[in-house]
Amino acid sequence: MQTNEKNTPATPTKGSSFVDPETLMRIKSLELRAKVVVEGFMNGLHRSPYHGFSVEFTEYREYSPGDDPRYLDWRLFARSDRYYIKRFEDETNLRCHLLLDMSRSMGYGTLSYNKADYAKTVAATLAYFLSLQRDAVGLLTFGETITEHLPARYRPGHMHRLMLCLEHAPSGSKTDVAAPLERIAATVTKRGLIVLISDLLAPIDTLEQNLGHLRARGHEVVLLRVLDPSELSFEFRDPAMFRDAESGRELYVDPDAVRESYLREFGEHAAAIEATCTNLGIDYYQISIDRPLELVLSDFLNARLKRGRQVGRRRAANPAAAAIGGAR
Amino acid sequence: MSVLFWAFLAGSAAVGFPLVFHLIRRAPSGHREFSSLMFLKTSPPRLTRRSRLDHLLLLFLRALAIVLLAVAFMRPYWHTAEDLSIDSVRARRVAILLDTSASMRRGNLWSQAKDEVEAVLDSLEPVDDVALFTFDGVVRPMVGFDEADKMDPQRKAEIVRGKLAELGPSWAHTDLGTALVSVGETLDVVAAGEDAEESSAALQIIVISDMQQGSNLDTLQTSQWPERVHVEVRRVSLPDNSNARVGLIAAEDEDVPGDEPRVRVTNASDSGVEQFRVAWSDESSRASPVSSSTADGVAFYVPPGQSRAMRVPRPAELASADRIVLHGDEAFFDNTYYVVPIQQQEARLAYIGSDAPGDAQGPRHYLRSALGDTPRRKVVFTSYAPDDPLPLVEGELPHLVVVTDEVSEAQREALSKYVTAGGRALVVLSGRDMATSLGDLLAGVDVEPEQERPGDDEYAMLGEIDFTHPVFAPFAGARYNDFTKIRFWRHRRVTIETGAPVRLVAHFDNDDPAMWEQTHGEGKVFVLTSGWHPQDSQLSRSSKFVPLLVGLLEQGIGQPLQSNSYVVGDVVPLPTSSAASDRTVLKPDGGEAKLSEQATVFDGTDQPGIYRLKSSGDEHLFAVNVAAAESDTAPMGIERLEQLGVTLGQQQSQSEEYDRLRQLRDRELEGRQKIWKWLIVAALCVLGLETFLAGRRAGQTPIGNEEGNR
């Protein structure tokens, strides 16, 4: 488990090689945005960690009735007169499911872009990066209910569909994390990586139960919590009628009067989420949307790499693959 | 400067609003979208410290506008020189009208009434004029306005209190109408006298009474109520208005004397008692009304609001019973009914004439028929032929001697002696010979010789009648004084010498005397020139025949009392024939009232009981009872007075009137000055200035610094 310690907004320093998120967000095409991030990230690496990673045959298994006859190895049958089923590398490939929160609260942002834009870019970047590694990537967007579901695939055109899905994801109303988690638990039987991207500005009563369910089924879960800088610091000055983005409820708030209690309660909520993730062995990252995406990707991959090494000691697997799928 | 409505001063408290608005540090500058309010709580608007009051000029203008509005609503005005003094305000004249009728004897009504009078006296202001009147059947001024005028106001109440202590309820009935009209007119007259001098006082009558339904209000119907006199009714009442009355149903002529008398018991409409007992009683059993002999009595069941009549036999052992007593009723004042037993008087009549008893052509037959026996009178009729001796012995002298024919010498002497001694004789002239036979009894009268009877179409009528004569006095009324229906076929023409002791009572239409009265010694002779039998006239067929004969007979026996049953307060007419110098009336309580010689009535019936009128050995009894209406004690609705035009209500006292006038004057002043309009204009000007200043200041303030001070 790895937790991003840099919760405070981090603005890239002058001359930094990272792309300023604001500049990045001006790129209209999501796919292009993802490419910019990933390739920039790749350029920084001396050696690509993804070379040599391909679909390969792994083993044979004796045929038993009920197996798909498409996977019978006819050559071996000709040689040995026995039925064997070929087991392919793809079974061992990573299946990543991106769960993207598109509720109204994600539409909030005090910068020139909002949390939803940032989250979409993060999702697109991850998807693009994984597709470069030939991993299957699926997408599930949700608000109050599930709005889009794209199963995890690795095939030509899939990435394009995924990007379109992300670009045109309709926004929901309320945040309900339980429903998509249940849906994923019900439909995805193969173990994989599940990345939940949300602001988690909702009660977390059932969060532990749902995440625990996924973990129990062997899924690796990563939680990316996307937040606006103002949500983290609450640096408003003027009293105003604050309107809830999701429920429309209005409240007269004097920021000076309530800042302290807001930060306390916000901190308690974040701590509760973090505690839940720690208990369940889930990677939890809290990301401010003014943080460069390369850093986010780098942090994410580094953390995965460390984790992969821990596992790789046992399995001596490909370090890059282990970085992504190390927890399988 | 003064104001009409001080209450609007509270509106000035609204000055606090601009003050608070100025102190509120920051009002919400608008709406702000936020991702989630789950970590936020609402915060109340905060006030800045006093020292942070900004825009003091605007604050002052706003506060000034509110104060101006509040003062405008208070309707201020300036005092003027014309000031109102309490001395110039009219005072009150209060007439206390206290009911002293018999029904006030019930329970503690009288003490309640006295308490009410005390309460009225206590509520008076020093300038108020007070008078005390009592009323039952008549109104009596106890303390008049004239009397009170001369006294110190403080002493008036004391005098009224002193009089009140001497008073008590009487036995008379309630004539509320007369009392109200009388006192109302008194007040009106007193006030009318003052009108010329100064502002008249407010006139108030305060009636303190049990306001029973039996109160007589007839007088109010026939008189105009003076509108400026207000009447306030203070009713005294008992929790239980149960009352029943007992009374005797008057015996009628056809009743047989000695028959069982019929008694009526009337129960009040809101009575709570239904079972009664009625028994005879007398003076001796007064102390213990239910003696062994009367213990049983007769039981009456009378539902409320109804009456029952039954025969109550007079017990044989109670021959002297003179009252009927009702048992079972708490209101005692009308539970005894006094009765004078009917006594049959003997009237002796002597007749001298030659006609037979059954002769329908002669006068005797008609005379005997007309004067029959009645419950009050028994007529002893003695007839003598013209030649019979006339035994006029002392002690059995007839009350009237009727002569219709010539008399013998002996009869003439006896008759003359009888008349001279004070007897009464009626002579019906039948001819000149008869007049001659009567000799000096008809002194100064010359009868002309008999003439031929005129034809059937010829007749005479009574033309001129002296209705002041006691015999004709009962016919004086317009309904009875028509004698033209009586035709006289034949009469004797007479010549009466001037200077003869004769009082002509009636003439025929041809100026011939028809009847006269001739004095002879102590007695009198009445002479008719025509008889009543069919040969002479139609008089015996007339309805006036019997009363005429009774009038003549009463000239001999003397008049009885017109009635022997009266109610308290009634005036009892005295018999005219009993005029004597030593007439006295013995009252039930033993008191004695001497009557003067000229007195024709007795007006001292102030208590129920049996009264005795004594005159020269003769004694007349009459009973006086409480009036029947007085027993109707159910409460009367006060609205009945209003229906009869009486102005109900309370006059304001001097101080109340002063307050009212002052308020009226203040309103008038304020209405004339209308300062409030100028204040509203000033407030509008201030608001305009404030708007201008605020607008200019808003224009100068940079947008970034706008927040904070509104």
Side-chain angles (χ1 to χ4, degrees), chain A residues 49-70:
Chain A
Y50 311 113
H51 281 278
F53 181 73
S54 61
V55 179
E56 280 179 7
F57 161 80
T58 51
E59 62 176 347
Y60 285 109
R61 178 169 63 77
E62 198 161 356
Y63 173 80
S64 60
D67 283 340
D68 192 344
R70 284 188 299 175

Short mmCIF file of all heavy atoms in Angstrom, two decimals, chain A residues 49-70:
data_model
loop_
_atom_site.label_atom_id
_atom_site.label_comp_id
_atom_site.label_asym_id
_atom_site.label_seq_id
_atom_site.Cartn_x
_atom_site.Cartn_y
_atom_site.Cartn_z
N PRO A 49 10.50 0.60 -19.44
CA PRO A 49 10.26 -0.57 -18.61
C PRO A 49 9.32 -1.54 -19.30
O PRO A 49 9.01 -2.60 -18.77
CB PRO A 49 9.64 0.01 -17.35
CG PRO A 49 9.01 1.28 -17.78
CD PRO A 49 9.76 1.76 -18.99
N TYR A 50 8.78 -1.18 -20.46
CA TYR A 50 7.71 -1.99 -21.06
C TYR A 50 8.17 -2.85 -22.22
O TYR A 50 7.37 -3.50 -22.85
CB TYR A 50 6.58 -1.07 -21.52
CG TYR A 50 6.18 -0.10 -20.44
CD1 TYR A 50 6.41 1.25 -20.57
CD2 TYR A 50 5.63 -0.58 -19.23
CE1 TYR A 50 6.09 2.12 -19.57
CE2 TYR A 50 5.32 0.28 -18.22
CZ TYR A 50 5.54 1.64 -18.38
OH TYR A 50 5.24 2.49 -17.36
N HIS A 51 9.50 -2.76 -22.55
CA HIS A 51 9.94 -3.60 -23.66
C HIS A 51 9.88 -5.07 -23.28
O HIS A 51 10.09 -5.43 -22.14
CB HIS A 51 11.38 -3.23 -24.05
CG HIS A 51 11.44 -1.99 -24.88
ND1 HIS A 51 11.20 -1.98 -26.24
CD2 HIS A 51 11.65 -0.69 -24.54
CE1 HIS A 51 11.30 -0.76 -26.70
NE2 HIS A 51 11.56 0.06 -25.67
N GLY A 52 9.58 -5.92 -24.38
CA GLY A 52 9.60 -7.36 -24.16
C GLY A 52 8.35 -7.88 -23.52
O GLY A 52 8.22 -9.06 -23.23
N PHE A 53 7.47 -7.09 -23.32
CA PHE A 53 6.23 -7.52 -22.69
C PHE A 53 5.24 -7.86 -23.78
O PHE A 53 4.84 -7.02 -24.56
CB PHE A 53 5.71 -6.37 -21.79
CG PHE A 53 4.46 -6.72 -21.07
CD1 PHE A 53 4.51 -7.62 -20.00
CD2 PHE A 53 3.25 -6.20 -21.46
CE1 PHE A 53 3.37 -7.94 -19.35
CE2 PHE A 53 2.10 -6.53 -20.79
CZ PHE A 53 2.15 -7.40 -19.71
N SER A 54 4.91 -9.13 -23.95
CA SER A 54 4.05 -9.51 -25.07
C SER A 54 3.17 -10.68 -24.68
O SER A 54 3.35 -11.28 -23.62
CB SER A 54 4.91 -9.89 -26.28
OG SER A 54 5.71 -10.98 -25.92
N VAL A 55 2.27 -11.00 -25.63
CA VAL A 55 1.38 -12.12 -25.39
C VAL A 55 2.12 -13.41 -25.73
O VAL A 55 2.57 -13.60 -26.86
CB VAL A 55 0.11 -11.98 -26.27
CG1 VAL A 55 -0.81 -13.15 -26.04
CG2 VAL A 55 -0.57 -10.67 -25.98
N GLU A 56 2.22 -14.26 -24.74
CA GLU A 56 3.00 -15.47 -24.97
C GLU A 56 2.26 -16.68 -24.43
O GLU A 56 1.48 -16.58 -23.50
CB GLU A 56 4.37 -15.37 -24.28
CG GLU A 56 5.35 -14.55 -25.08
CD GLU A 56 6.67 -14.43 -24.37
OE1 GLU A 56 6.84 -15.10 -23.33
OE2 GLU A 56 7.50 -13.66 -24.84
N PHE A 57 2.64 -17.77 -25.07
CA PHE A 57 2.12 -19.05 -24.59
C PHE A 57 2.72 -19.37 -23.24
O PHE A 57 3.91 -19.13 -23.01
CB PHE A 57 2.46 -20.13 -25.62
CG PHE A 57 2.39 -21.51 -25.09
CD1 PHE A 57 1.15 -22.15 -24.95
CD2 PHE A 57 3.54 -22.18 -24.67
CE1 PHE A 57 1.10 -23.44 -24.45
CE2 PHE A 57 3.46 -23.46 -24.17
CZ PHE A 57 2.24 -24.10 -24.06
N THR A 58 1.97 -19.92 -22.37
CA THR A 58 2.52 -20.25 -21.06
C THR A 58 2.52 -21.75 -20.78
O THR A 58 3.55 -22.33 -20.48
CB THR A 58 1.72 -19.55 -19.94
OG1 THR A 58 0.35 -19.84 -20.14
CG2 THR A 58 1.99 -18.06 -19.94
N GLU A 59 1.41 -22.41 -20.97
CA GLU A 59 1.39 -23.82 -20.60
C GLU A 59 0.27 -24.54 -21.34
O GLU A 59 -0.59 -23.91 -21.95
CB GLU A 59 1.21 -23.96 -19.08
CG GLU A 59 -0.10 -23.40 -18.60
CD GLU A 59 -0.32 -23.62 -17.14
OE1 GLU A 59 0.41 -24.42 -16.53
OE2 GLU A 59 -1.27 -23.01 -16.60
N TYR A 60 0.25 -25.83 -21.21
CA TYR A 60 -0.85 -26.64 -21.72
C TYR A 60 -1.64 -27.18 -20.56
O TYR A 60 -1.11 -27.43 -19.49
CB TYR A 60 -0.31 -27.81 -22.57
CG TYR A 60 0.19 -27.39 -23.94
CD1 TYR A 60 1.55 -27.38 -24.26
CD2 TYR A 60 -0.75 -27.04 -24.93
CE1 TYR A 60 1.99 -27.02 -25.52
CE2 TYR A 60 -0.28 -26.67 -26.19
CZ TYR A 60 1.07 -26.66 -26.48
OH TYR A 60 1.48 -26.29 -27.71
N ARG A 61 -2.86 -27.41 -20.88
CA ARG A 61 -3.70 -28.06 -19.87
C ARG A 61 -4.50 -29.11 -20.59
O ARG A 61 -4.95 -28.88 -21.74
CB ARG A 61 -4.62 -27.04 -19.20
CG ARG A 61 -5.55 -27.62 -18.18
CD ARG A 61 -6.24 -26.53 -17.37
NE ARG A 61 -7.10 -25.65 -18.20
CZ ARG A 61 -8.30 -26.02 -18.62
NH1 ARG A 61 -8.79 -27.21 -18.33
NH2 ARG A 61 -9.00 -25.20 -19.35
N GLU A 62 -4.70 -30.24 -19.96
CA GLU A 62 -5.44 -31.32 -20.60
C GLU A 62 -6.91 -30.88 -20.77
O GLU A 62 -7.49 -30.26 -19.88
CB GLU A 62 -5.39 -32.59 -19.76
CG GLU A 62 -5.75 -33.80 -20.60
CD GLU A 62 -5.27 -35.09 -19.95
OE1 GLU A 62 -4.59 -35.01 -18.90
OE2 GLU A 62 -5.55 -36.13 -20.51
N TYR A 63 -7.43 -31.22 -21.98
CA TYR A 63 -8.81 -30.82 -22.27
C TYR A 63 -9.77 -31.58 -21.39
O TYR A 63 -9.62 -32.77 -21.15
CB TYR A 63 -9.12 -31.08 -23.75
CG TYR A 63 -10.57 -30.85 -24.13
CD1 TYR A 63 -11.03 -29.54 -24.36
CD2 TYR A 63 -11.46 -31.91 -24.25
CE1 TYR A 63 -12.34 -29.32 -24.69
CE2 TYR A 63 -12.79 -31.67 -24.59
CZ TYR A 63 -13.24 -30.38 -24.81
OH TYR A 63 -14.55 -30.15 -25.15
N SER A 64 -10.71 -30.85 -20.95
CA SER A 64 -11.80 -31.54 -20.25
C SER A 64 -13.12 -31.02 -20.86
O SER A 64 -13.17 -29.90 -21.34
CB SER A 64 -11.74 -31.22 -18.75
OG SER A 64 -11.86 -29.84 -18.55
N PRO A 65 -14.13 -31.89 -20.91
CA PRO A 65 -15.37 -31.47 -21.55
C PRO A 65 -15.88 -30.16 -20.95
O PRO A 65 -15.88 -29.98 -19.73
CB PRO A 65 -16.34 -32.61 -21.25
CG PRO A 65 -15.48 -33.78 -20.97
CD PRO A 65 -14.24 -33.25 -20.35
N GLY A 66 -16.35 -29.31 -21.88
CA GLY A 66 -16.83 -28.00 -21.43
C GLY A 66 -15.86 -26.90 -21.79
O GLY A 66 -16.23 -25.75 -21.90
N ASP A 67 -14.56 -27.28 -22.07
CA ASP A 67 -13.60 -26.26 -22.46
C ASP A 67 -13.90 -25.80 -23.88
O ASP A 67 -14.47 -26.55 -24.68
CB ASP A 67 -12.17 -26.81 -22.41
CG ASP A 67 -11.66 -26.90 -20.99
OD1 ASP A 67 -12.26 -26.18 -20.12
OD2 ASP A 67 -10.72 -27.65 -20.72
N ASP A 68 -13.53 -24.54 -24.15
CA ASP A 68 -13.77 -24.00 -25.48
C ASP A 68 -12.88 -24.72 -26.48
O ASP A 68 -11.64 -24.71 -26.34
CB ASP A 68 -13.45 -22.50 -25.45
CG ASP A 68 -13.95 -21.79 -26.70
OD1 ASP A 68 -14.26 -22.48 -27.68
OD2 ASP A 68 -14.06 -20.54 -26.66
N PRO A 69 -13.46 -25.35 -27.54
CA PRO A 69 -12.64 -26.10 -28.50
C PRO A 69 -11.75 -25.21 -29.36
O PRO A 69 -10.83 -25.69 -30.01
CB PRO A 69 -13.68 -26.82 -29.35
CG PRO A 69 -14.96 -26.14 -29.11
CD PRO A 69 -14.87 -25.45 -27.80
N ARG A 70 -12.06 -23.85 -29.30
CA ARG A 70 -11.23 -22.95 -30.10
C ARG A 70 -9.76 -23.00 -29.63
O ARG A 70 -8.85 -22.72 -30.37
CB ARG A 70 -11.73 -21.50 -29.95
CG ARG A 70 -12.97 -21.24 -30.72
CD ARG A 70 -13.29 -19.77 -30.70
NE ARG A 70 -13.50 -19.29 -29.33
CZ ARG A 70 -13.70 -18.02 -29.03
NH1 ARG A 70 -13.63 -17.12 -29.97
NH2 ARG A 70 -13.92 -17.66 -27.80
#
